[in-house]
């Protein structure tokens, strides 16, 4: 029978087999820890998954909602072509400063624009830009439905949207929850249910980050 310790060991096996050691990415996590940022970055396995999604899409224009210390941002930036660009939105000025330093350390700063402030204020300012090819949503979960709606206005047919942390150790199933994060996630699923412009699925994950999952949607 699998258990959380087994999940971690399998993740480590995947990392040992598939993800070469990268001192830059290790230093990013160390810088985040030293700056006192919450330890809620994606795992290395998930970071590589993001990178491969960007590669599969041949994405040039990427939007990230929720920068934290830039760990996931850098994973995605590594997959960009020469003329590729990431716009990443971060509410917390301290987190954004740490991310900017990490991006510079990783040699990715020229490919990334960090916009500081509430994402729901920043997103409307992006209208009129080239539509995004890939959008990663990993911010406050209570606003997920609003982020999906805003992301749609910045998309085109074929744009891929990935939303992190949608299972929350199974608490997603609690229809009576007063937790704003759970309420927001459930409202997002209600929005996606038979949405006329989004073709969606979701998948559960286990590993170093516990029991959670992602929503994957494509704009039709």
């Amino acid at each position: 029978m699998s258990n959380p310790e087994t999940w971690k060991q399998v993740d480590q096996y995947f990392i040992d087999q598939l993800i070469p050691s990268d001192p830059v990415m290790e230093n990013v996590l160390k810088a985040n820890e030293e700056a006192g940022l919450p330890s809620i970055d994606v795992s290395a396995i998930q970071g590589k998954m993001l990178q491969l999604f960007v590669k599969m899409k041949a994405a040039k224009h990427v939007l990230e909602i929720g920068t934290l210390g830039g760990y996931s941002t850098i994973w995605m930036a590594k997959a960009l072509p020469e003329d590729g660009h990431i716009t990443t939105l971060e509410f917390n000025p301290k987190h954004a400063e740490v991310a900017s330093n990490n991006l510079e350390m990783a040699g990715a700063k020229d490919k990334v624009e960090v916009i500081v402030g509430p994402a729901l204020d920043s997103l409307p300012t992006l209208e009129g830009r080239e539509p995004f090819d890939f959008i990663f949503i990993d911010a406050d979960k209570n606003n997920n439905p609003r982020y999906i709606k805003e992301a749609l206005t910045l998309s085109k047919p074929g744009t891929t949207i990935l939303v992190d942390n949608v299972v929350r150790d199974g608490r997603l199933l609690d229809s009576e929850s007063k937790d704003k994060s759970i309420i927001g996630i459930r409202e997002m699923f209600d929005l996606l249910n038979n949405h006329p412009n989004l073709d969606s699925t979701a998948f559960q994950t286990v590993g170093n980050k516990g029991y959670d999952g992602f929503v994957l949607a494509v704009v039709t």
Side-chain angles (χ1 to χ4, degrees):
M1 180 70 70
S2 64
N3 56 56
E5 190 55 41
T6 303
W7 303 344
K8 293 177 183 178
Q9 291 172 1
V10 171
D11 255 11
Q12 190 57 53
Y13 175 81
F14 289 161
I15 289 169
D16 292 343
Q17 292 287 75
L18 303 175
I19 303 178
S21 177
D22 186 339
V24 170
M25 301 309 288
E26 291 166 10
N27 286 337
V28 168
L29 291 178
K30 184 179 179 183
N32 290 353
E33 182 181 4
E34 289 175 350
L37 271 59
S39 181
I40 54 174
D41 309 272
V42 299
S43 67
I45 294 291
Q46 294 166 345
K48 184 63 178 285
M49 180 188 73
L50 286 170
Q51 186 182 96
L52 292 178
F53 271 130
V54 173
K55 282 187 177 181
M56 286 189 293
K57 283 293 300 174
K60 287 186 178 182
H61 305 287
V62 174
L63 172 64
E64 178 181 50
I65 303 175
T67 316
L68 194 62
Y71 183 73
S72 56
T73 322
I74 294 167
W75 272 110
M76 292 188 288
K78 288 170 174 279
L80 290 173
E82 197 64 37
D83 56 347
H85 186 77
I86 296 178
T87 302
T88 183
L89 312 181
E90 174 54 47
F91 173 78
N92 188 306
K94 178 186 176 183
H95 296 177
E97 181 181 0
V98 173
S100 293
N101 292 337
N102 285 336
L103 288 163
E104 187 164 11
M105 175 176 64
K109 197 165 187 180
D110 290 345
K111 288 184 176 293
V112 180
E113 176 187 13
V114 182
I115 299 178
V116 184
L120 290 174
D121 292 342
S122 302
L123 286 163
T125 70
L126 304 178
E127 294 179 17
R129 297 191 183 191
E130 282 282 329
F132 291 99
D133 305 302
F134 182 77
I135 299 173
F136 179 47
I137 300 174
D138 188 14
D140 51 319
K141 313 309 169 189
N142 54 301
N143 278 319
N144 273 353
R146 299 170 187 86
Y147 293 148
I148 293 285
K149 291 175 183 176
E150 290 289 339
L152 267 172
T153 69
L154 303 171
S155 301
K156 60 186 178 182
T159 294
T160 299
I161 300 172
L162 187 71
V163 188
D164 196 5
N165 306 126
V166 302
V167 175
R168 310 294 277 187
D169 203 29
R171 291 185 291 122
L172 163 72
L173 296 177
D174 183 3
S175 61
E176 303 300 319
S177 177
K178 305 297 188 224
D179 184 324
K180 290 182 179 179
S181 294
I182 301 302
I183 293 169
I185 293 168
R186 289 179 64 90
E187 287 178 350
M188 176 189 66
F189 275 100
D190 290 340
L191 175 67
L192 294 173
N193 184 5
N194 291 317
H195 194 287
N197 302 116
L198 286 166
D199 193 8
S200 308
T201 190
F203 52 96
Q204 303 175 71
T205 59
V206 296
N208 288 330
K209 295 297 179 177
Y211 172 38
D212 219 318
F214 291 87
V215 157
L216 178 65
V218 176
V219 179
T220 58

